[in-house]
Amino acid sequence: MKIVRTDAELQTPFLDAELRKRGDLVLLPDGASEADLIAAVADADLLLMCYTPVTARVIAAAPRLKGIVKYGVGIDAIDIPAAIARAIPVVNIPEYAEETVAEGAFTLMIALAKNLIPLDRQMRAEGWAWPTARWMGSDIAGKTVGIVGLGRIGRSFARMAGQGFRARVISYTPGMSAEEMAALGIEKIDDLHDLLRQSDVVSLHCTLNASTRHIIGAAELAAMKPTAFLINSSRGALVDESALVAALTGGRIAGAGLDVFSAEPLSLSGHLMSPLFALPNVLMLPHLTFYTTEAMERLERETLERCDEALGGRPVLVKSQDPRLRAQKSGVRFD
């Protein structure tokens, strides 16, 4: 057996050790080219990916491939129709970090509301900060938190904000009924711009697909309160990042907490998002809200389970409700 894992910078020592017991493991670095991946999968039985795109050309170049395992959640970098055409099962690991990422998004919200990063910088530079208007924070209790996308992570975030901090929680999630939301203590909003106008915090938790790409653009940012924060721990391309940079540098919204970007990694200069490093009201994390000891243990163990199913020729368990994965007809079973 030959197994290829991309994005080797994301260390998975338990998974790698177990995979080496099952065959030859080839690790490719983040940013590996399509040509490098094509060469690696030419005789591969299994492909594991996290960020590196798996294109139709890559899939066509892998005649022995028994499965594609996304060790993570988002599947937008995989050409799933091409895999389905070849009857190659595609699976992700959707549940390992639902609480973890929600906690990360909530941390971004709290840090922005309480001015934690500027205050820490002030303390390190001056040793103290007096209670002047510059440092005034805001409460979460009593505020309106708008959630775009009530999947697993969005629901966890909603519970933390509503039950934990007594915020009013509203959501724009077209595929979910008002009754389902009410049972979770959430108000359904049918119009995205209406949600944006009402919210003191907007947190994005929807999947990235053709209908959600740039769901937050210039018009949507203009609809937000000037005192509102935008949180994105889902996918960078949910936001028109050029419009976001303009809104933040122009003071159109109060701030943003970002863990994901359309082009990763970032750099201090020369990147579309580089101007945001100079802004004290913007928090940027390196796509690591998922990265905790507990979440990584869950990720590695469940990824191994899916790998063993694929390598053993057994139907691969698909837990995700994403219709792109649910469209598969062979080599899979559904939870």
Side-chain angles (χ1 to χ4, degrees), residues 47-109:
L47 172 61
L48 289 79
M49 60 77 66
C50 191
Y51 307 120
T52 300
V54 178
T55 64
R57 291 186 62 212
V58 170
I59 293 168
R64 288 172 43 180
L65 207 58
K66 296 180 173 66
I68 300 170
V69 180
K70 163 63 186 270
Y71 58 104
V73 181
I75 54 172
D76 42 282
I78 305 171
D79 192 322
I80 295 174
I84 290 175
R86 286 271 316 280
I88 298 170
V90 179
V91 66
N92 65 348
I93 314 297
E95 298 175 346
Y96 81 99
E98 55 194 61
E99 293 287 338
T100 306
V101 174
E103 288 179 4
F106 207 88
T107 299
L108 287 169
M109 177 174 69

Side-chain angles (χ1 to χ4, degrees), residues 10-16 18 71 93 95-97 100 290-305:
L10 178 51
Q11 297 178 8
T12 55
F14 167 78
L15 177 62
D16 290 352
E18 290 297 316
Y71 58 104
I93 314 297
E95 298 175 346
Y96 81 99
T100 306
F290 73 93
Y291 197 57
T292 66
T293 299
E294 297 83 359
M296 288 303 295
E297 287 177 355
R298 292 189 292 268
L299 176 64
E300 291 191 63
R301 292 189 180 278
E302 187 166 343
T303 298
L304 183 63
E305 292 174 7

Side-chain angles (χ1 to χ4, degrees), residues 190-226:
D190 291 318
D191 180 79
L192 176 59
H193 282 224
D194 189 17
L195 177 136
L196 297 172
R197 283 189 291 268
Q198 294 187 48
S199 298
D200 299 294
V201 178
V202 176
S203 193
L204 306 181
H205 297 286
C206 49
T207 57
L208 177 63
N209 54 44
S211 65
T212 61
R213 184 175 295 274
H214 289 188
I215 192 171
I216 302 297
E220 288 71 31
L221 292 163
M224 291 176 63
K225 297 179 180 180

Side-chain angles (χ1 to χ4, degrees), residues 24-323:
D24 296 324
L25 176 63
V26 175
L27 299 177
L28 295 180
D30 175 71
S33 68
E34 183 184 56
D36 289 339
L37 186 52
I38 285 173
V41 300
D43 56 349
D45 298 280
L46 184 65
L47 172 61
L48 289 79
M49 60 77 66
C50 191
Y51 307 120
T52 300
V54 178
T55 64
R57 291 186 62 212
V58 170
I59 293 168
R64 288 172 43 180
L65 207 58
K66 296 180 173 66
I68 300 170
V69 180
K70 163 63 186 270
Y71 58 104
V73 181
I75 54 172
D76 42 282
I78 305 171
D79 192 322
I80 295 174
I84 290 175
R86 286 271 316 280
I88 298 170
V90 179
V91 66
N92 65 348
I93 314 297
E95 298 175 346
Y96 81 99
E98 55 194 61
E99 293 287 338
T100 306
V101 174
E103 288 179 4
F106 207 88
T107 299
L108 287 169
M109 177 174 69
I110 289 289
L112 287 167
K114 307 301 182 183
N115 280 322
L116 293 186
I117 302 304
L119 278 168
D120 177 74
R121 290 172 179 164
Q122 171 71 8
M123 290 292 289
R124 291 173 188 274
E126 303 293 338
W128 197 247
W130 294 103
T132 60
R134 175 185 179 187
W135 307 116
M136 185 72 74
S138 59
D139 292 343
I140 301 301
K143 295 296 195 303
T144 296
V145 174
I147 299 174
V148 181
L150 278 178
R152 292 181 173 92
I153 296 171
R155 293 183 192 198
S156 293
F157 186 89
R159 187 194 70 248
M160 294 172 191
Q163 297 179 28
F165 278 68
R166 296 190 299 107
R168 173 193 177 219
V169 181
I170 62 178
S171 180
Y172 172 74
T173 307
M176 192 171 182
S177 71
E179 291 73 21
E180 290 174 296
M181 289 193 196
L184 299 170
I186 302 165
E187 299 175 40
K188 180 177 176 63
I189 304 296
D190 291 318
D191 180 79
L192 176 59
H193 282 224
D194 189 17
L195 177 136
L196 297 172
R197 283 189 291 268
Q198 294 187 48
S199 298
D200 299 294
V201 178
V202 176
S203 193
L204 306 181
H205 297 286
C206 49
T207 57
L208 177 63
N209 54 44
S211 65
T212 61
R213 184 175 295 274
H214 289 188
I215 192 171
I216 302 297
E220 288 71 31
L221 292 163
M224 291 176 63
K225 297 179 180 180
T227 54
F229 299 119
L230 177 70
I231 309 295
N232 188 8
S233 60
S234 184
R235 284 293 178 268
L238 294 173
V239 179
D240 180 339
E241 292 174 327
S242 295
L244 178 60
V245 170
L248 288 166
T249 55
R252 178 62 194 81
I253 61 175
L258 310 171
D259 182 49
V260 289
F261 310 91
S262 293
E264 298 176 354
L266 270 61
S267 59
L268 293 176
S269 62
H271 190 283
L272 173 62
M273 308 298 275
S274 296
L276 300 186
F277 283 110
L279 301 182
N281 60 335
V282 178
L283 299 183
M284 294 190 288
L285 302 181
H287 202 155
L288 287 182
T289 52
F290 73 93
Y291 197 57
T292 66
T293 299
E294 297 83 359
M296 288 303 295
E297 287 177 355
R298 292 189 292 268
L299 176 64
E300 291 191 63
R301 292 189 180 278
E302 187 166 343
T303 298
L304 183 63
E305 292 174 7
R306 304 289 81 79
C307 290
D308 281 342
E309 290 166 351
L311 291 172
R314 305 191 303 276
V316 179
L317 178 61
V318 175
K319 294 184 177 181
S320 172
Q321 298 301 313
D322 192 301

